[in-house]
Amino acid sequence: MTNNKKRIVIIGATSAIAEHCARFWVDDAAVDMTLVGRDISKIERVAQDLRVRSPQSVIHVLESKFTDSIAIRQLVDRVIAGGIVNIVLIAHGTLPDQIECQTDLSANQEALIVNGISPMLFAEAFVGHMQKANSGTLAIIGSVAGDRGRRSNYVYGAAKGLVTRYAQGLQHRLASTDVKIVLIKPGPTDTPMTMHLKQQGSHLANVEDVSRLIVKAINQGKSVVYAPTKWTLIMMVVRHLPKFIFDKLDI
Amino acid sequence: MVEVSSWGMLGSWEHEVLALSDRHHVVHQLKSSRSGIAHGMGRSYGDVCLNPGGVLWKTTELDRFISLDESTGRLVCEAGVLLRDIQRLVIPRGWILPVTPGTQLVTVGGAIANDVHGKNHHMFSTFGDHVRGIILVRTDGTIIECGPDFQTEWFSATVGGLGLTGVITEAEIQLRKVSGPWLDAETLPYANLNEFFQLANASETEWEHTVSWIDCLSGKNARGIFMRANPINLINHPEPKSHKRTIRFVPPVSLVNHLTLRPFNAAYFNFKKRQAGKRIVHYEPFFYPLDNLLEWNRMYGPHGFYQYQSVVPLKVGNDAVQAMLREIKKTGEGSFLAVLKTFGDRQSVGMMSFPRQGVTMALDFPNQGDKTLKLFASLDAIVREAGGRIYLAKDARMSRDLFETGYPRLNEFLHYRDLGISSAMSRRLIGS
Ligand SMILES: Cc1cc2nc3c(=O)[nH]c(=O)nc-3n(C[C@H](O)[C@H](O)[C@H](O)COP(=O)(O)OP(=O)(O)OC[C@H]3O[C@@H](n4cnc5c(N)ncnc54)[C@H](O)[C@@H]3O)c2cc1C
């Protein structure tokens, strides 16, 4: 029975965006889904919810370290041993405090590793298998922050910029295959990660709307998607602003 | 700090918003926070869910299902789950929430804390009547599991307890069997209050859902439209398409005023009258007619609006409603949304629950300052004289005195209050 269900793997499944994507997937059809996270009791809570929503789906949970290349390789090999994967969503990340990153190098390092290096290692580990199978979609959550370094969050932005370049490279590498690489760039979204932004009065996108767009983009195999879509235009402007104007902006 | 208002949009106030998203972590979050109040979808009209200058514990991210036993209809979920999401999950599996309010965009926690009622009160009482257990987290770090059969005093303080006894993190609900999403509905115009009471009386044993719209500005006799419905077993009936519309901005003045109101009400009455008779309807438009008109509360303009909902005992019901309508007509104010319904003889589990046997009337009024408050003072006098009470989920201004006479179990309730919790309403009516 399991083998005719779509196989989906989510890394960082307890992130709010990932959790909502998972809900859309199980609502759509019964799936075979593996949720990977750092804290088994939190992943189990998400899994329990998905099982109620879709009793016909099979939901597995796995705990993993996110910054250890050996652990990542082992985890991915183990997941792949269970059969061909149709969709991989790499969704984990943290929103570091920029000022802290400027004064505390270990916080800076941690932010770069969790948001930049770790997702790339997962991507690399999966993509080889997918290339061999010549199928599947690998989606990675980057950020609008990766489009241009800004004083208010360039450490996070740099890590996400790494994700952007990496995804581009993968797209180039796999251009002649049936494997699709989808890079998602959410704008600021209302999740536990951005709670302090909300306190400062920022307008944040609804997590359900963002996740709906992501699921749609993955189904269509789009190469780059901004969510909400208005960020396509906003970031085009931000990327092209001349330096003398950009430098005057407090963003 | 974030500006937050409630559904009536009478103002917006700065709050420190703390999102609760991990049910096992709530106890630590409450312990380390300043005094706050739980806030679900903010679908209460007045100030029960607000705490200006203080903390709001936002519960909408506590939105996970925990278990559903499809053979017994027992659902366990987190308190921030929306009633809409429950309905959409369980109805295709042959179950339904026994009681829901006129919008399904509310949380389970909010439905319990206001002990909400629906169109089937005469048969199924209130929401709290179908809750089998809850987990209540208090700011002193205690966690209390309670229900109708265990720790019952905590349960009856918390059902209808306005969020003041602690934060509910989980609830177990007994669903009801249903064969599908369809209702067999009937629409009947009525020409005066006597006819309304006759219809209500005649419908109570045979019809599960009854409600009426009333034209609060029509002539001497209050005409209206009576609606009643029963679930019906229909297979393969095509689902209706949903058309969502949003009122995108707040107009500079209320669109509801003495120029628009009377013609609208007359037109609505005549439109509905032409629809009189029986038809098959989907539960969503019947139970939640306004949910597809997102943010309709904006049409009342920048000053917001009040809803005035009272219940008065049946034996004085006709006179009291008559008298209230007279006062309203005198001012020419009133609303599109005027609902008249009878409550059955069902004792709510909650000490502070609003429903009691009698007739309940709910009306929206654009906020016109003193003029509106003066009208309410005269309505209050009628409610008091009739021995009735006002619904706290809708209130933002009643006097302490009317509150105390309307809710005779207040002193008993106060034993169970969590002193690390305070809302605008609790300070206004209870003093802390
Ligand atoms: C269009 C419309 C129609 C309505 N129709 C009806 C109706 O027919 N019948 C009816 O009874 N009501 C009706 N209401 C009122 C609505 O059902 C109630 O106000 C409901 O409680 C709102 O739920 P909420 O999730 O928005 O809670 P909020 O408004 O955010 O909060 C309501 C109360 O619940 C408390 N609370 C919320 N979550 C928790 C928690 N987890 N633990 C403890 N306390 C908590 C809050 O502190 C507050 O006291 C209607 C409202 C609208 C807008």
Side-chain angles (χ1 to χ4, degrees):
Chain A
M1 276 307 282
T2 352
N3 45 11
N4 52 23
K5 292 189 179 105
K6 216 186 237 180
R7 273 196 91 208
I8 302 176
V9 182
I10 305 181
I11 311 295
T14 56
S15 94
I17 291 181
E19 186 174 0
H20 280 90
C21 289
R23 289 180 186 177
F24 281 117
W25 276 314
V26 300
D27 278 352
D28 200 36
V31 294
D32 178 303
M33 190 181 273
T34 303
L35 307 176
V36 183
R38 279 187 297 191
D39 175 342
I40 195 79
S41 70
K42 287 191 181 161
I43 318 168
E44 192 45 65
R45 220 179 47 209
V46 174
Q48 207 176 13
D49 169 74
L50 296 171
R51 290 184 192 120
V52 174
R53 289 173 193 267
S54 175
Q56 280 78 36
S57 290
V58 183
I59 315 283
H60 315 272
V61 296
L62 282 178
E63 196 175 38
S64 172
K65 292 199 185 102
F66 279 0
T67 52
D68 173 346
S69 57
I70 296 172
I72 291 173
R73 169 65 73 196
Q74 284 171 346
L75 176 113
V76 172
D77 288 349
R78 203 170 129 201
V79 170
I80 294 291
I84 288 182
V85 176
N86 304 94
I87 296 174
V88 176
L89 172 64
I90 299 174
H92 59 291
T94 57
L95 192 57
D97 181 57
Q98 170 66 26
I99 303 297
E100 194 189 337
C101 290
Q102 287 166 210
T103 50
D104 176 353
L105 284 192
S106 66
N108 190 318
Q109 181 179 22
E110 167 86 13
L112 290 170
I113 292 176
V114 171
N115 293 297
I117 295 177
S118 168
M120 295 309 89
L121 297 180
F122 275 106
E124 194 64 62
F126 273 110
V127 92
H129 294 287
M130 296 171 93
Q131 187 172 16
K132 220 179 283 165
N134 195 29
S135 76
T137 303
L138 175 85
I140 315 173
I141 300 196
S143 169
V144 293
D147 277 16
R148 188 167 187 176
R150 289 178 292 118
R151 76 175 74 129
S152 60
N153 69 350
Y154 64 82
V155 175
Y156 179 71
K160 291 297 191 178
L162 174 63
V163 172
T164 301
R165 280 301 164 271
Y166 210 98
Q168 268 175 2
L170 290 178
Q171 281 166 349
H172 196 209
R173 166 179 160 194
L174 297 161
S176 61
T177 73
D178 287 339
V179 180
K180 297 232 159 51
I181 308 291
V182 178
L183 173 64
I184 298 142
K185 298 185 187 180
T189 305
D190 191 357
T191 66
M193 183 169 108
T194 55
M195 211 157 78
H196 62 286
L197 293 181
K198 195 165 177 165
Q199 296 297 341
Q200 293 156 15
S202 304
H203 191 76
L204 304 175
N206 175 280
V207 63
E208 230 177 271
D209 296 342
V210 167
S211 304
R212 189 180 293 114
L213 267 173
I214 293 176
V215 166
K216 197 168 144 210
I218 292 175
N219 285 343
Q220 297 171 338
K222 282 198 178 161
S223 44
V224 180
V225 58
Y226 287 86
T229 22
K230 69 171 184 194
W231 287 95
T232 317
L233 195 68
I234 300 175
M235 292 320 293
M236 191 163 85
V237 173
V238 170
R239 279 195 314 271
H240 292 101
L241 273 181
K243 184 168 166 356
F244 72 93
I245 298 180
F246 186 72
D247 285 348
K248 292 207 177 82
L249 298 179
D250 191 20
I251 56 174
Chain B
M1 297 297 252
V2 188
E3 298 252 313
V4 182
S5 51
S6 68
W7 190 247
M9 305 219 302
L10 289 163
S12 66
W13 294 270
E14 300 246 297
H15 290 82
E16 183 190 341
V17 178
L18 283 180
L20 310 177
S21 59
D22 178 339
R23 63 178 180 264
H24 301 302
H25 193 59
V26 170
V27 63
H28 306 292
Q29 279 179 290
L30 298 193
K31 261 177 95 170
S32 54
S33 140
R34 293 187 291 137
S35 155
I37 183 81
H39 184 97
M41 286 291 279
R43 244 53 178 191
S44 298
Y45 287 68
D47 58 0
V48 265
C49 56
L50 296 175
N51 186 17
V55 177
L56 284 187
W57 296 305
K58 188 119 178 62
T59 64
T60 45
E61 282 165 29
L62 289 175
D63 63 348
R64 294 174 197 87
F65 292 110
I66 299 170
S67 66
L68 170 64
D69 183 332
E70 292 193 35
S71 59
T72 59
R74 283 288 176 103
L75 172 77
V76 183
C77 65
E78 294 183 350
V81 169
L82 299 188
L83 302 192
R84 178 198 63 190
D85 294 345
I86 297 179
Q87 298 287 59
R88 292 187 178 170
L89 179 81
V90 304
I91 291 176
R93 301 186 199 178
W95 297 95
I96 193 167
L97 281 168
V99 170
T100 63
T103 169
Q104 55 179 347
L105 300 173
V106 304
T107 63
V108 167
I112 296 173
N114 275 328
D115 195 15
V116 300
H117 57 269
K119 299 176 175 49
N120 58 1
H121 180 271
H122 54 283
M123 287 197 181
F124 291 95
S125 191
T126 56
F127 193 89
D129 213 32
H130 307 276
V131 176
R132 291 289 153 262
I134 54 177
I135 295 182
L136 182 68
V137 176
R138 312 239 312 157
T139 59
D140 64 2
T142 51
I143 297 176
I144 298 173
E145 288 191 46
C146 57
D149 312 315
F150 53 107
Q151 300 262 44
T152 48
E153 64 295 351
W154 280 104
F155 186 68
S156 67
T158 302
V159 171
L162 314 161
L164 298 176
T165 62
V167 172
I168 304 162
T169 55
E170 284 178 39
E172 177 169 357
I173 303 165
Q174 177 62 56
L175 304 169
R176 197 179 144 233
K177 268 216 147 65
V178 76
S179 49
W182 301 102
L183 298 164
D184 182 16
E186 188 170 21
T187 300
L188 305 140
Y190 59 87
N192 56 51
L193 278 184
N194 288 338
E195 271 185 34
F196 162 79
F197 280 102
Q198 273 161 17
L199 273 170
N201 202 13
S203 307
E204 281 202 353
T205 49
E206 304 283 320
W207 294 83
E208 186 175 319
H209 304 282
T210 67
V211 69
S212 87
W213 172 82
I214 174 170
D215 180 352
C216 59
L217 295 178
S218 64
K220 194 160 135 266
N221 289 317
R223 63 182 178 180
I225 304 288
F226 194 89
M227 285 160 274
R228 55 192 188 185
N230 275 325
I232 183 175
N233 185 0
L234 267 189
I235 25 180
N236 297 334
H237 203 70
E239 296 259 336
K241 287 209 170 49
S242 103
H243 296 285
K244 291 217 184 312
R245 302 242 186 289
T246 303
I247 306 224
R248 294 218 168 264
F249 61 95
V250 180
V253 292
S254 171
L255 301 178
V256 184
N257 54 47
H258 62 282
L259 291 177
T260 58
L261 202 57
R262 202 182 293 266
F264 173 87
N265 274 6
Y268 185 80
F269 179 80
N270 288 316
F271 171 70
K272 280 286 177 191
K273 199 170 149 188
R274 262 181 275 127
Q275 290 191 334
K278 288 199 168 199
R279 72 182 64 214
I280 286 164
V281 292
H282 189 262
Y283 76 95
E284 282 195 342
F286 185 83
F287 290 163
Y288 321 113
L290 289 164
D291 279 359
N292 270 342
L293 191 61
L294 300 170
E295 311 200 55
W296 56 263
N297 51 342
R298 293 178 174 177
M299 75 181 172
Y300 289 95
H303 306 299
F305 70 111
Y306 290 95
Q307 183 165 102
Y308 189 95
Q309 181 168 7
S310 61
V311 58
V312 294
L314 269 188
K315 57 179 191 305
V316 291
N318 198 330
D319 291 342
V321 170
Q322 215 48 280
M324 286 194 268
L325 289 172
R326 255 196 316 271
E327 289 299 325
I328 293 163
K329 243 194 90 200
K330 254 200 266 173
T331 62
E333 290 194 53
S335 58
F336 300 141
L337 222 172
V339 174
L340 190 63
K341 161 164 182 61
T342 48
F343 283 150
D345 181 14
R346 306 245 160 204
Q347 180 73 42
S348 299
V349 279
M351 294 173 189
M352 299 293 284
S353 294
F354 165 71
R356 53 166 289 179
Q357 189 176 25
V359 55
T360 182
M361 184 158 72
L363 302 137
D364 288 349
F365 295 91
N367 174 20
Q368 301 190 41
D370 283 349
K371 193 172 149 198
T372 313
L373 293 176
K374 238 164 88 191
L375 167 65
F376 291 162
S378 53
L379 300 181
D380 284 352
I382 298 166
V383 172
R384 185 193 315 259
E385 167 130 4
R389 62 167 74 125
I390 307 266
Y391 191 6
L392 286 161
K394 314 283 178 79
D395 182 58
R397 49 92 244 155
M398 87 163 105
S399 71
R400 201 152 160 169
D401 169 53
L402 182 59
F403 169 60
E404 284 169 6
T405 41
Y407 290 87
R409 293 179 75 182
L410 175 63
N411 280 331
E412 187 187 344
F413 168 73
L414 291 178
H415 292 302
Y416 300 96
R417 255 199 86 173
D418 182 326
L419 296 175
I421 292 183
S422 173
S423 65
M425 181 242 110
S426 76
R427 292 194 288 278
R428 177 168 61 86
L429 292 174
I430 306 174
S432 68

